[in-house]
Amino acid sequence: MKLWSVDAPQTGPDTVAVVAEALVPLMYWRGVPVQVTEPRELTVLERLVLEMGLSLGSVEPADFAEVTDLPPSVLAGAAWRLVAAGVLFPQRNGYGVQLSGAERTLRRQAVARVVDAAADFVLLPRSGDLLAFGGGPGGWLRGLDQKLGAGKRAPLPAPLAGARRAEYLGERVRAGTAACLGAEIVDVPAPVEDMPLYTDARQDGKPPTCPAYRCRAQVRRSPTGDLQVDAVFMRRARRGAQQGDNVETEIEADLSGAEALTNGWLALTAALRHDEVQHDAWRVLVPPQASVGTPPLNRVSRRGPVEWNLHIGGAAAAALCADGRSLTQPMGLAVADEEAVVEVVCWFFPDDDHARGLFAREEIVHRLLSSPEPAGVITAACREAADRLPTSAPLLTPHAVRERVWQLGHYQLIYLFRETEDFPHD
C-alpha cells in the first residue's frame, strides 16, 4: 500500500468513497435475450381468489361458487394467471396456495407475467460483480463501445476462460447473484449454439485476457441506504487530438450494484485503522522539519466515511506551528493498492491541554480573518478563549495571536492591526 499527499477532495454529506483512479477489468454484452417479469394489475376476481386462498389455505370450486354466486367453472378462468405466476398450483379439484408469493402479489396488487425481452450485461471479472441493465438498449455501454473501445488488457480468471455466455449469465441470474437494474430479469435462455463468454482475439497461445479501463468514481449513500456508484471511464483520445495534446475521452457510467468492487474501495478508505498506515500517513502529511524530535500520532478516529481525525499532542502541534503549518486546514491523503487510488480527508485534532490551547489560538485567527473589524474583536475573542481554557491563557493573548497571524502569512491582517495602532482616528 502506498500513500501520498494530495489536495483535500471535495465531498458531500452523502459521500462514502472518492476514487481518484482505478483500473477496472470489464466485459459487457448488449442486447442479450432474456426473460423478465412484467407486472399486470390484478382483476377483482383474482384478488378475491387470493384472499380466499390465504384465508382458507386452498381455493375449491364449491367455495368459490358460494362466495361469488358464479358457476364453479369460472374459477379456472380467474386462476390461470395466478397459476402461471406460481402463486397458485392445481390441487385435486381446486388450487393450493404458495403463501409468501400470494401475500406479495396481493400486496403489490399485480401479478407477474414472464415475457421475452433483451438486456445488457456487465461483468467485472476481477471482483465477480455482474450487472444486468433492462429497459432498452443503449445507455453508457453504447458510449463505451463507440468512444473508448477496448482498453488495456487484464488476465481473465481461469474459471471464465471456457464458459459459455448464456449458460453463465443464466446461472448467475437464477442464483440471484446478478444485480438486475431496470427490470426483473428471471432467466437467460440458452440457445442451441451458445457462444463463448468471451473470445480473446489476441491470445496467440498466451493466457486469455479481457479489456480493462481506467476510471474515477464517487460512491454516495442514497436516502434509502443503498450505495450509488457514479463512475467515469477514461481513455486518451484515439483520434482527433494533435500530437502532444493530453486529450481524454470520458464516459459517465453507473456501477451501482457492483458490491464487491465497491467494498474493495471502501476498505481502502478505512486503511488508517492500521498502525503501520497511520505511521506512514504521519510521515507523508507532516514535513520532516516539523516531525523531527516530535512524537508520532497519538491515535486516529473516524470523523466520517472519508474523513479522519489525526490526534496530536502539544509537542507535535507546536512543531507544526513553528513550521508555519495551519492546524485546522483539511489535508488530502491518497491511499493506493494495486487496483485503485482513493482519497480521504485528514484533520489534525488536539489530544492534550497544550494542543487544545494551540488549536484555540488557531480558531481566533480564523475568526479575525472573517471579521469586518478584526482589531475590534481580538481582545474579546482572546478573553473568551482564555476563560474556556485557563491553563492555556499565555497562548491566547492578543500579542500571541498576532504572532501566529504573522507566522501564517496573513500580512494584510497584520497591516490592519498596525494601521489602527499607528494611525488612530478620532
Side-chain angles (χ1 to χ4, degrees), residues 1-22:
M1 187 172 292
K2 297 181 179 179
L3 307 178
W4 63 89
S5 176
V6 296
D7 293 335
Q10 297 295 315
T11 63
D14 56 352
T15 304
V16 296
V18 177
V19 184
E21 186 169 1

Side-chain angles (χ1 to χ4, degrees), residues 320-331:
L320 289 167
C321 289
D323 192 60
R325 286 285 296 272
S326 170
L327 297 178
T328 56
Q329 290 299 309
M331 301 164 288

Side-chain angles (χ1 to χ4, degrees), residues 82-366:
L82 301 175
V83 172
V87 297
L88 295 183
F89 53 89
Q91 176 178 282
R92 298 187 301 276
N93 294 327
Y95 301 93
V97 183
Q98 204 284 320
L99 293 178
S100 61
E103 291 172 347
R104 183 169 58 251
T105 300
L106 196 57
R107 188 168 56 251
R108 294 177 177 177
Q109 291 293 297
V111 63
R113 188 182 74 158
V114 177
V115 298
D116 293 331
D120 298 338
F121 286 85
V122 172
L123 175 64
L124 308 179
R126 185 168 293 174
S127 64
D129 293 301
L130 178 64
L131 310 179
F133 299 91
W140 61 267
L141 285 177
R142 178 166 53 187
L144 191 72
D145 192 21
Q146 295 177 352
K147 296 183 179 180
L148 264 64
K152 298 177 180 294
R153 312 298 295 180
L156 187 68
L160 299 178
R164 315 300 291 184
R165 190 182 78 174
E167 180 183 10
Y168 175 82
L169 298 179
E171 287 177 354
R172 293 287 304 269
V173 167
R174 292 189 295 273
T177 59
C180 298
L181 311 174
E184 292 193 24
I185 302 171
V186 294
D187 202 1
V188 181
V192 176
E193 294 292 335
D194 195 2
M195 64 181 63
L197 184 69
Y198 184 69
T199 302
D200 188 356
R202 311 184 190 189
Q203 284 188 37
D204 299 328
K206 299 178 182 178
T209 61
C210 67
Y213 299 87
R214 288 174 50 235
C215 84
R216 65 177 185 271
Q218 186 158 132
V219 184
R220 298 179 290 108
R221 191 170 295 282
S222 72
T224 60
D226 298 324
L227 293 180
Q228 175 71 35
V229 184
D230 300 318
V232 177
F233 287 101
M234 306 171 291
R235 189 183 185 191
R236 200 176 296 261
R238 293 181 296 176
R239 55 181 181 273
Q242 298 296 321
Q243 186 174 4
D245 287 350
N246 187 21
V247 179
E248 291 270 351
T249 300
E250 298 185 346
I251 299 295
E252 295 182 357
D254 182 5
L255 294 181
S256 304
E259 293 186 1
L261 177 70
T262 305
N263 288 339
W265 293 342
L266 295 180
L268 276 181
T269 68
L272 276 169
R273 293 178 301 180
H274 305 292
D275 291 343
E276 64 275 13
V277 179
Q278 295 173 23
H279 297 154
D280 291 341
W282 176 256
R283 287 193 293 269
V284 166
L285 295 175
V286 177
Q289 59 271 27
S291 61
V292 172
T294 62
L297 286 174
N298 290 3
R299 58 193 177 95
V300 303
S301 62
R302 201 145 195 181
R303 186 175 179 140
V306 292
E307 295 183 286
W308 291 84
N309 285 330
L310 310 183
H311 294 248
I312 58 175
L320 289 167
C321 289
D323 192 60
R325 286 285 296 272
S326 170
L327 297 178
T328 56
Q329 290 299 309
M331 301 164 288
L333 179 69
V335 184
D337 63 8
E338 294 180 354
E339 299 181 7
V341 180
V342 303
E343 294 178 352
V344 296
V345 184
C346 296
W347 305 77
F348 290 125
F349 193 86
D351 214 36
D352 59 27
D353 286 345
H354 186 200
R356 279 186 278 275
L358 293 171
F359 274 76
R361 186 179 66 178
E362 212 85 344
E363 292 169 2
I364 295 173
V365 173
H366 288 297

Side-chain angles (χ1 to χ4, degrees), residues 365-377:
V365 173
H366 288 297
R367 180 175 172 181
L368 297 177
L369 289 170
S370 61
S371 173
E373 296 183 3
V377 302

